[in-house]
Structures are given as C-alpha cells and as structure tokens.
C-alpha cells in the first residue's frame, strides 16, 4: 500500500513500521525511540536477533551524541561521502543506543542517506533504524513492488521510485589505526583512497565472532538455483543471466543485467533481475560472471556469490 510522506512520518512517530526508499535499496524503517517497532522489524523480516541494524541520521552532526570518540579521517569521510551510501561502525557511549539495535555489540552502524524523500522523512522523525526491506535471505528490494511482493500488498510503503544505486551501502569500521571494509557496497573500495590515502582492505574476522554479523547469513538469494560461470557451454539451452552486449548460445533465454561495460547499470538492475527469475518460475540459471575484479564489479560479484549459496 503506497502512502504519502506525512503519513509515513506519522506512523513512524507513533511506533509503526514503514518501508522507505533510499538511494541504495528500500529500508524497513522504525524509530530509534520505539522498542516495540524495532522488535517488529526483526519479526517482519524473519531476521536473527544477533544481526544488528543501521541507524540512519539526517546529518553527520548527530554522530557526536553517540560515538565515544571520533576516529581519524571520520570527518573527511563524512564530508566526502555523506549524504550517501556509506555506513560507519563506531564505538558508542554506553546506553546511547538500545541493545536490540546493535545486537548487544559495543558498536553501532551509522549512515546519512541521500535520497531526498528519506532525508525529508528523517527531519520529521529523527533517527530511523532500517535493514533492507526484504524477507531475510532474499534479494533486497529496489522498487516499491519488491517490498509488496515480500510483505504483502497492504504493507505501508513510501514509494520513492527505483533506487538509484541498487546495492547496499559500503560499511567501514576503524580497527587498529585503519579503516577496513566489512561489507562491500555501492562505493567501491578504490574510491576511499583519495580521502584515506590507502584503499581499505576487507576485514578478516578474528576468532569465532564475525566482524559483520550479517555477512554470516544466507543473503540476496532467489529461489532459483544460480550457477556462476565465466563462459557458457555452446550447447546450453536454459536461462542465462548475462549482458546485452554479449553473444550467448542462441537457444538460451537471456535475463539482461545491462551492458558489460557499465557496472553502475548492472548494480542498479541486479536485484530486480534476481527477483524476476522467481516471478517467471525459472528454477535454474547460469550467471555470466566474466567481469573484471575491480571497483563496483567486486560488490556485484560478492552479491552474486552470496545469492548463489543455498
Ligand atoms: O544501504 C544500506 O545499508 C541499506 C539501506 C536501507 O540503508 N541497509 C542495509 O541494512 O543494508 P541491512 O540490515 O540489510 O544490513 C546491515 C548490515 C548487516 O550485515 C549488519 O550485520 C551490519 O550491517 N551491522 C550493523 N551494525 C553493525 C555493527 N555494530 N557492527 C558490525 N556490523 C554491523
Ligand atoms: Mg540486508
């Protein structure tokens, strides 16, 4: 059910849960002030309680009231990438964020989103927690219809059109004097070099505890079984998720991710294509992953690898 922005703000301020567009993917929003709404997010998504939520803020200023300290380059990262698809995990002052939001961790994840409707909403509601608005384990939602298909036609959605980026925010954490990536995302690792002076590496978990709890779980998966391949056998007659500027066996049915030269277009379409496989009843598909290991392609490859896991 599509609802206007004022209605979305009223529902959130009254302790409701509403799906909200962002520039990355749709989020399932609840006010940071409403514990019962936060609990509802976990039950609606079927999300394990040990997987913490991102807190969305209207401005970087608000960080000061939560963070225990401001790590080096945080100000520069915020100036360069906020508002936008960057999430920062910071050590927080005790009791400044409810434990359920951060799954009991001494840290919390923060992001200042860019989508104009999200920003207007945040000004009316204050901080919102938002996981991606999809059933846990399924591809994220990049259109209002995707949210309705997961949560039902009556679920309240603020329709902000198609999400521009199409993949989730990049998550950074500051550990032992350096920023590290704990989730690849819409901002490629290489883009941080101009601010940090180095390309942040992907964080390696130390001991049994994962650095990013959400990365343990099955993710982004359609029901359709996906086989990632760097070339497709010439005799193949099934479904291929591939690129419109490539030649595939003529008997195959192609689901196009766009041009193999344009990772931004591919990221934008990715979850819609994965979802359309299920809508069309496709049970098995080859995915062409003959793409460079660089920039946004690394995020796309990571999402595809996770979506192919059963
Ligand atoms: O683009 C996005 O980030 C979207 C939009 C809606 O903002 N949100 C999103 O939320 O992707 P979600 O819940 O699907 O993914 C958040 C990830 C999870 O993997 C979670 O484990 C991790 O962030 N996370 C949250 N708080 C954390 C913390 N304190 N330490 C480590 N990882 C954390
Ligand atoms: Mg998610």
């Amino acid at each position: 059910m599509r609802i206007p922005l004022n209605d979305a703000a009223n529902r959130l301020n009254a302790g409701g849960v509403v799906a909200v567009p962002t520039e990355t993917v749709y989020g399932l929003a609840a006010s940071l002030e409403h514990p019962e709404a936060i609990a509802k997010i976990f039950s609606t998504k079927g999300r394990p309680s040990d997987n913490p939520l991102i807190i969305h803020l209207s401005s970087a200023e608000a960080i000061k009231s939560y963070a225990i300290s401001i790590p080096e380059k945080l100000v520069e990262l915020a100036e360069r990438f906020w508002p936008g698809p960057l999430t920062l995990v910071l050590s927080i002052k005790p009791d400044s964020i409810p434990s359920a939001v951060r799954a009991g961790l001494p840290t919390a994840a923060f992001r200042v989103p860019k989508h104009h409707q999200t920003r207007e909403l945040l000004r009316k509601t204050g901080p919102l927690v938002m996981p991606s608005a999809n059933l846990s384990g399924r591809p994220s939602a990049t259109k209002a219809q995707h949210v309705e298909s997961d949560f039902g036609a009556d679920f309240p959605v603020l329709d902000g059109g198609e999400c521009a980026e199409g993949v989730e925010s990049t998550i950074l954490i500051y550990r032992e004097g350096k920023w590290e990536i704990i989730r690849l995302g819409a901002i490629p690792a290489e883009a941080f070099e101009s601010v940090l002076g180095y390309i942040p590496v992907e964080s390696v978990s130390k001991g049994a505890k994962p650095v990013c709890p959400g990365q343990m779980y099955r993710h982004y998966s359609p029901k359709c079984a996906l086989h990632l391949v760097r070339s497709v056998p010439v005799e193949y007659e099934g479904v291929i998720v591939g690129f419109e500027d490539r030649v595939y066996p003529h008997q195959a049915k192609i689901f196009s991710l766009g041009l193999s030269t344009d990772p931004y277009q591919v990221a934008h379409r990715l979850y819609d294509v994965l979802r359309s496989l299920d809508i069309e009843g496709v049970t098995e598909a080859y995915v062409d992953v003959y793409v460079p290991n660089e920039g946004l392609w690394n995020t796309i490859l990571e999402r595809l690898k996770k979506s192919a896991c059963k």
Side-chain angles (χ1 to χ4, degrees):
M1 177 179 50
R2 314 290 162 98
I3 58 168
L5 195 133
N6 274 334
D7 187 4
N10 292 340
R11 284 170 187 250
L12 289 163
N13 288 332
V17 169
V18 172
V20 168
T22 81
E23 70 280 14
T24 57
V25 297
Y26 275 75
L28 202 55
S31 161
L32 190 59
E33 305 295 319
H34 285 274
E36 71 288 1
I38 293 166
K40 195 174 165 201
I41 283 188
F42 284 90
S43 58
T44 304
K45 269 184 72 88
R47 182 180 179 101
S49 61
D50 61 358
N51 192 2
L53 306 173
I54 298 174
I55 299 150
H56 295 69
L57 304 168
S58 60
S59 85
E61 272 297 292
I63 288 285
K64 289 185 196 144
S65 50
Y66 304 111
I68 248 172
S69 59
I70 300 296
E72 62 173 12
K73 301 284 185 186
L74 181 139
V75 174
E76 290 85 345
L77 284 169
E79 275 174 3
R80 169 72 181 79
F81 295 105
W82 278 347
L86 172 65
T87 295
L88 299 176
V89 173
L90 302 171
S91 294
I92 52 149
K93 296 174 188 163
D95 303 324
S96 65
I97 304 281
S99 177
V101 169
R102 51 191 163 83
L105 295 170
T107 55
F110 299 93
R111 162 160 130 78
V112 179
K114 190 176 191 169
H115 194 288
H116 68 102
Q117 276 165 289
T118 332
R119 293 178 61 69
E120 197 181 335
L121 192 65
L122 283 166
R123 284 193 286 272
K124 291 177 190 284
T125 59
L128 295 173
V129 293
M130 281 195 236
S132 49
N134 52 280
L135 289 171
S136 210
R138 294 286 170 214
S140 302
T142 53
K143 292 177 179 174
Q145 297 100 284
H146 295 165
V147 178
E148 288 164 347
S149 114
D150 279 15
F151 301 122
D154 291 338
F155 199 86
V157 187
L158 174 62
D159 187 353
E162 289 184 18
C163 300
E165 306 282 356
V167 289
E168 296 80 353
S169 59
T170 303
I171 308 182
L172 297 185
I173 192 168
Y174 190 72
R175 292 211 308 180
E176 295 166 11
K178 287 227 157 158
W179 289 95
E180 296 179 356
I181 296 187
I182 60 173
R183 181 180 70 185
L184 295 170
I187 304 174
E190 295 88 334
F192 295 105
E193 191 173 13
S194 60
V195 173
L196 298 178
Y198 56 91
I199 300 176
V201 295
E202 277 186 71
S203 215
V204 183
S205 299
K206 292 180 183 150
K209 283 211 164 165
V211 199
C212 183
Q215 297 299 80
M216 292 184 302
Y217 295 105
R218 185 168 141 260
H219 244 106
Y220 322 116
S221 283
K223 292 186 184 121
C224 174
L226 303 176
H227 307 286
L228 310 189
V229 294
R230 287 176 63 84
S231 71
V232 179
V234 281
E235 67 282 3
Y236 184 66
E237 294 184 349
V239 169
I240 298 174
V241 176
F243 302 99
E244 64 199 40
D245 52 346
R246 293 219 173 130
V247 177
Y248 297 109
H250 68 273
Q251 319 88 305
K253 179 170 184 204
I254 313 300
F255 282 64
S256 175
L257 290 167
L259 293 169
S260 67
T261 49
D262 187 352
Y264 292 90
Q265 182 186 39
V266 173
H268 174 80
R269 286 193 190 180
L270 183 64
Y271 294 132
D272 189 53
V273 169
L274 295 183
R275 284 171 170 270
S276 61
L277 293 167
D278 286 348
I279 292 168
E280 303 221 2
V282 179
T283 54
E284 196 164 9
Y286 278 17
V287 185
D288 179 357
V289 290
Y290 187 69
V291 296
N293 290 100
E294 63 184 29
L296 192 57
W297 288 117
N298 282 334
T299 302
I300 295 164
L301 285 169
E302 189 266 347
R303 297 301 193 268
L304 284 171
K305 280 181 196 151
K306 286 236 163 66
S307 65
C309 291
K310 287 292 161 202

